[in-house]
Amino acid sequence: MKSIKWFLFLCLFPFLVQGQEKPLKQTICLIADIPLLLESDHGIISFSKTGILDISPGRIRISMAARTDAIEFEHLIQLAKPLAVMEQNSTAYTVQWNTKKYRDWTPVAGQHSSTLIDTSLGINDSLKLIWKNRSGKIVQKFTLKTKILRPAIIGFRINEYYDSIDRGHKIRVLKRKNGLPKGYQSLQSDSIQIQAGGIIELKIKSYPLLVDTLIQFRITSREDKTIPGWKSGSHLLILPELKADNNYTLELKYPNQSAVAKYHLIHQPFWHQLTWVRWTIGLSLLTTTILLTRWYYRRKWRREAAQRERLEEQLTTLQSQLNPHFIFNALSSIEGLVTIGQNKLANEYLTTFSMIMRDTLKNVDKMLISLEEDLQLMHQYLKVEQLRFGFEYEWELDPGIHPAEIEVPPMLAQPLIENAVKHGASAKGWINIEIAKKNADMLIRVTNPSSNIAIKPRTAGGYGWSLINQRLDHFRELNPDSPIEFEFSQDEKQATATLIFKNWFS
């Protein structure tokens, strides 16, 4: 009895002794008929009362536990009272590897602190040690079997925040508890739902003889398919780095083991990450953008329409101002004919003039009329003036121009013809009117003999010509892509006034 107490005293208060062989990662002191020291490189999992010791594949070293040496260990297992030293020395042992004899019967005497076996066990290997006394009676036996381990999550808890200081305390509490601590849920499948913003704690199954469960893990996400390296953890695994609205795959394994356990962690989204919320926000933004865009363009369109309406009113006003000017000139001509006694000619003039006035009043509110109608007005005006002055005129129309299909501002060319009559054709001269096509432009060119008076382009025609210049400016503002330009040239022989309708055929 004293020997047992002395042996336990040495085991429970370990210290390092110089010259002792370096232990492996885990050491177990087994007190039985024959006290033993078991060391493993990869973990001793469990020990049953039937004498079966489950271990991970790897290196295993079994030594006799010396009763006089101090021993450093992680676990102490007492199965029986040790034999007396004399009885122990009278025993012999043998080793069987996978049911085959590995070592013949070897006396225990003289091997009180020596290594009985130091080897590596692979997957599905077994190692059996048997002791017998001198009479052949089996006094002790146990079997080592390798077991493939796959880590298993037995419970989890979701916290609202992560406290790294509290982690050590949690590990100590979990080591003292066999079941799940308060607040943990049992895991029945390989999938875990995590509430948005939650921090998950995982309780991994630990084994009775292990000080801690050394776990290797790695996490891959749905968004990032990169496979990371393995990280080390324990039987309490806390994962604060998981982001909401993402799915993760958690892989677990033990060191130097190939068996991998996979779990799916589904981190639920925040309310603003929900699909229907995103669609609602997106549609709201799209609707707002459409409404703002519509409001902006409607406002711009109204502003442009108001400006266009103002310009059209001004242009109409200018056209209406041109009519009294034309009427005044025509009545002056009639008065002149009556004064000189040419009543018949004055009557013809008045008849033609009334036809011109009827057509002019009909188009007074129109911004554009067909070129065919405008040429007809110009022809009637020339007929009236021809009665008075007796000049000749001719028309040249480009074959590629169809007057009925083209629109022009009404009576825009009338001041040009009036100017030609006044300055060049009044003394029985001539007038040439040409309507030509040049690329995408249309030209109305009025040519007459040159008079002795030099004419300035911007003052030719007096008040009527001033009105036409204003009409061109307003038309240019309304139609910047298709403006109408004016050119005037004069030499000793003839004067030419040209209206250029830009991009009229584009």
Side-chain angles (χ1 to χ4, degrees):
M1 187 69 179
K2 290 183 178 179
S3 63
I4 295 176
K5 292 181 179 178
W6 174 249
F7 184 78
L8 290 173
F9 174 79
L10 292 177
C11 288
L12 293 173
F13 297 94
F15 61 90
L16 294 176
V17 178
Q18 292 182 353
Q20 182 180 354
E21 190 174 6
K22 184 178 180 181
L24 299 180
K25 289 184 178 180
Q26 188 177 30
T27 304
I28 294 178
C29 183
L30 177 64
I31 300 177
D33 295 285
I34 309 296
L36 298 173
L37 195 66
L38 290 81
E39 299 172 87
S40 173
D41 192 30
H42 296 125
I44 299 171
I45 303 166
S46 62
F47 186 84
S48 67
K49 292 182 179 180
T50 58
I52 298 177
L53 184 68
D54 292 325
I55 65 172
S56 298
R59 186 181 172 190
I60 183 73
R61 182 164 61 209
I62 304 175
S63 308
M64 297 289 293
R67 305 188 185 203
T68 57
D69 293 339
I71 303 170
E72 183 179 7
F73 58 85
E74 283 77 27
H75 291 279
L76 174 65
I77 302 174
Q78 185 173 4
L79 302 177
K81 175 184 174 181
L83 297 173
V85 176
M86 293 292 293
E87 292 179 283
Q88 178 179 315
N89 289 338
S90 65
T91 62
Y93 75 95
T94 184
V95 179
Q96 295 179 3
W97 187 302
N98 294 334
T99 69
K100 295 181 181 180
K101 184 177 287 188
Y102 178 74
R103 180 173 294 178
D104 290 330
W105 290 100
T106 304
V108 172
Q111 300 192 42
H112 295 293
S113 61
S114 62
T115 299
L116 301 181
I117 187 169
D118 188 347
T119 187
S120 294
L121 298 180
I123 299 174
N124 297 324
D125 282 345
S126 65
L127 195 67
K128 190 173 185 179
L129 286 86
I130 305 172
W131 282 262
K132 67 178 182 178
N133 57 20
R134 290 178 180 177
S135 63
K137 182 181 177 181
I138 303 298
V139 295
Q140 180 173 297
K141 65 177 178 179
F142 70 89
T143 303
L144 285 79
K145 288 185 177 180
T146 57
K147 187 175 182 179
I148 299 299
L149 285 181
R150 183 179 281 105
I153 298 174
I154 59 174
F156 68 94
R157 178 170 64 181
I158 309 297
N159 293 326
E160 293 182 0
Y161 60 90
Y162 173 58
D163 186 359
S164 59
I165 299 178
D166 191 43
R167 184 176 181 276
H169 171 70
K170 290 177 180 178
I171 292 176
R172 290 191 295 273
V173 171
L174 290 176
K175 285 175 64 176
R176 294 195 298 265
K177 291 182 178 290
N178 294 325
L180 289 176
K182 184 179 179 181
Y184 275 77
Q185 301 178 45
S186 176
L187 183 63
Q188 304 297 331
S189 66
D190 62 352
S191 179
I192 302 176
Q193 296 280 343
I194 307 171
Q195 66 188 31
I199 305 298
I200 188 168
E201 295 181 5
L202 302 172
K203 175 69 170 69
I204 299 172
K205 181 180 180 181
S206 57
Y207 294 89
L209 298 186
L210 298 182
V211 176
D212 196 0
T213 306
L214 182 61
I215 300 296
Q216 288 188 322
F217 70 96
R218 65 184 179 187
I219 302 173
T220 54
S221 70
R222 177 187 60 191
E223 296 179 352
D224 185 6
K225 300 298 183 181
T226 305
I227 299 178
W230 292 97
K231 298 180 181 179
S232 297
S234 67
H235 67 282
L236 174 64
L237 199 58
I238 304 176
L239 305 174
E241 68 273 15
L242 303 185
K243 297 180 180 179
D245 194 23
N246 204 346
N247 294 345
Y248 297 89
T249 299
L250 172 64
E251 296 179 87
L252 302 171
K253 77 181 188 70
Y254 290 105
N256 302 314
Q257 296 272 350
S258 59
V260 176
K262 289 187 178 182
Y263 293 88
H264 301 288
L265 308 179
I266 303 171
H267 205 152
Q268 297 174 352
F270 289 100
W271 68 269
H272 60 271
Q273 295 176 318
L274 294 172
T275 303
W276 70 268
V277 174
R278 289 179 175 178
W279 273 101
T280 302
I281 294 174
L283 289 174
S284 299
L285 290 175
L286 179 61
T287 303
T288 303
T289 302
I290 292 173
L291 291 175
L292 287 175
T293 304
R294 184 182 178 187
W295 171 81
Y296 170 77
Y297 280 105
R298 287 187 67 179
R299 184 182 178 189
K300 182 180 179 182
W301 177 81
R302 287 174 180 174
R303 186 169 58 248
E304 291 177 351
Q307 183 180 4
R308 186 178 184 88
E309 185 177 351
R310 178 177 56 82
L311 290 173
E312 288 178 353
E313 288 177 358
Q314 293 176 356
L315 198 56
T316 303
T317 301
L318 290 172
Q319 288 180 190
S320 64
Q321 290 175 3
L322 186 62
N323 290 334
H325 173 74
F326 168 68
I327 294 170
F328 174 77
N329 290 340
L331 292 176
S332 296
S333 299
I334 295 171
E335 181 185 15
L337 292 174
V338 173
T339 302
I340 61 176
Q342 297 186 12
N343 295 333
K344 183 179 179 181
L345 191 59
N347 188 46
E348 292 182 17
Y349 194 108
L350 187 60
T351 301
T352 306
F353 171 70
S354 64
M355 295 172 61
I356 296 173
M357 285 304 302
R358 185 179 64 247
D359 294 337
T360 302
L361 291 173
K362 185 176 66 174
N363 300 323
V364 70
D365 293 328
K366 295 182 180 178
M367 296 296 299
L368 297 171
I369 63 173
S370 68
L371 178 61
E372 185 178 44
E373 292 180 82
D374 202 51
L375 291 179
Q376 183 65 29
L377 285 172
M378 285 190 282
H379 179 69
Q380 290 175 347
Y381 173 73
L382 285 169
K383 293 291 289 182
V384 168
E385 294 298 331
Q386 191 180 39
L387 292 174
R388 181 181 175 190
F389 297 108
F391 59 85
E392 297 293 332
Y393 69 91
E394 62 179 0
W395 296 87
E396 294 183 25
L397 180 63
D398 192 305
I401 296 176
H402 304 284
E405 300 174 2
I406 301 172
E407 291 186 322
V408 294
M411 296 188 70
L412 187 62
Q414 190 274 335
L416 275 64
I417 298 174
E418 182 181 353
N419 187 68
V421 172
K422 178 179 178 181
H423 294 284
S426 56
K428 293 189 178 182
W430 53 271
I431 295 176
N432 178 266
I433 302 170
E434 179 185 6
I435 297 92
K437 181 179 180 181
K438 184 178 181 181
N439 299 325
D441 301 340
M442 183 177 74
L443 284 67
I444 296 180
R445 186 180 292 118
V446 180
T447 307
N448 58 272
S450 184
S451 64
N452 296 328
I453 302 173
I455 302 172
K456 295 181 180 180
R458 290 293 178 184
T459 59
Y463 181 69
W465 195 243
S466 175
L467 291 176
I468 197 173
N469 285 331
Q470 295 180 50
R471 289 184 68 188
L472 292 179
D473 291 338
H474 282 75
F475 192 85
R476 190 178 295 109
E477 288 187 50
L478 286 171
N479 303 278
D481 296 330
S482 302
I484 302 174
E485 297 179 357
F486 169 72
E487 291 181 358
F488 181 82
S489 62
Q490 182 179 11
D491 55 23
E492 297 178 353
K493 294 184 179 180
Q494 62 185 28
T496 304
T498 306
L499 289 174
I500 304 172
F501 296 77
K502 289 287 186 180
N503 302 317
W504 223 249
F505 297 105
S506 60

